Amino acid sequence: DDKASMDFKNALRIKAFTKGSFIIKEEMICRHFYFIQQGLIKLYSFKQDKEFIQKFFVEDMVYTEPNSYLNQRPTLYMAIALEDTVTYTISKNDIDNLCLKHHSIERLFSKIYQQAMLEMMDRISEMMEEDACARYHKFTKERHYLLQRISLGELAGYIGITQGSLSRIRAQ
């Protein structure tokens, strides 16, 4: 629908983040969706001074912190630009209004939420059911394009192990 497409495009804003800048910090409320045009975002949290990386978002991916966004409550996560990052951003208010006005946009966001839920369930299963070695091999197979863009410490944080353990796995 051309009208829906035009309304959606008109609601988008370009927002750039320099490397190292936060998209969202712990205790903030997430009020936007970010369509990543260029760059790399890391979604993570800390527990007892240990970094836990939930996900990396790259070009052509959509980022929001769903729990905070949907409930409009402070997040437990942080999202940081690991590279200079350019996004198309749309506010929750604009999305809500567009969804009321256009069924096609409501369907689009429904699909985005469904995809996010499936990815979250896959991530939970991966962390619970696979050992660190299997998680490392899965990452290098499915996300090999990230290996040149993230540090070994970040890879270890994603897999859920120490950098020393990662070195041992890589040596095998």
Side-chain angles (χ1 to χ4, degrees):
D1 161 353
D2 290 342
K3 178 76 174 116
S5 182
M6 187 59 75
D7 286 352
F8 185 74
K9 285 178 186 164
N10 288 335
L12 292 173
R13 301 287 173 260
I14 290 181
K15 188 155 171 75
F17 300 92
T18 56
K19 179 180 177 174
S21 63
F22 284 93
I23 290 90
I24 193 164
K25 288 183 185 173
E26 199 173 13
E27 297 301 315
M28 283 176 63
I29 295 173
C30 186
R31 293 187 168 93
H32 294 85
F33 261 83
Y34 303 88
F35 299 85
I36 301 161
Q37 195 226 337
Q38 172 195 321
L40 174 61
I41 296 172
K42 171 176 75 171
L43 178 66
Y44 67 105
S45 62
F46 278 99
K47 189 167 187 164
Q48 292 144 4
D49 292 335
K50 186 169 162 41
E51 183 181 67
F52 292 92
I53 298 174
Q54 181 65 34
K55 189 165 180 171
F56 296 102
F57 295 87
V58 296
E59 293 82 5
D60 301 324
M61 292 177 82
V62 179
Y63 164 74
T64 196
E65 201 284 89
N67 196 32
S68 176
Y69 178 88
L70 290 169
N71 296 311
Q72 287 298 282
R73 289 195 194 122
T75 183
L76 302 173
Y77 290 95
M78 291 161 279
I80 191 169
L82 293 180
E83 300 171 353
D84 288 345
T85 299
V86 178
T87 65
Y88 291 102
T89 303
I90 186 168
S91 72
K92 183 177 191 318
N93 199 32
D94 284 340
I95 291 168
D96 291 347
N97 290 331
L98 287 168
C99 286
L100 287 172
K101 193 173 171 185
H102 301 288
H103 186 62
S104 58
I105 293 176
E106 186 179 36
R107 277 197 322 270
L108 169 69
F109 279 92
S110 176
K111 285 181 178 163
I112 290 171
Y113 297 136
Q114 289 171 22
Q115 187 62 38
M117 189 177 71
L118 292 172
E119 288 172 8
M120 186 174 57
M121 294 307 296
D122 285 348
R123 182 77 171 118
I124 291 167
S125 295
E126 174 183 64
M127 293 305 287
M128 290 176 62
E129 297 165 13
E130 296 175 11
D131 66 17
C133 193
R135 290 193 303 268
Y136 170 76
H137 289 294
K138 182 179 180 179
F139 188 93
T140 58
K141 184 178 168 208
E142 294 177 3
R143 296 182 183 86
H144 55 88
Y145 55 88
L146 280 172
L147 293 172
Q148 301 302 314
R149 297 172 74 177
I150 63 172
S151 70
L152 289 177
E154 287 161 338
L155 177 56
Y158 180 84
I159 294 169
I161 58 176
T162 65
Q163 227 172 313
S165 296
L166 176 61
S167 294
R168 285 188 288 282
I169 289 170
R170 291 177 75 218
Q172 290 173 0

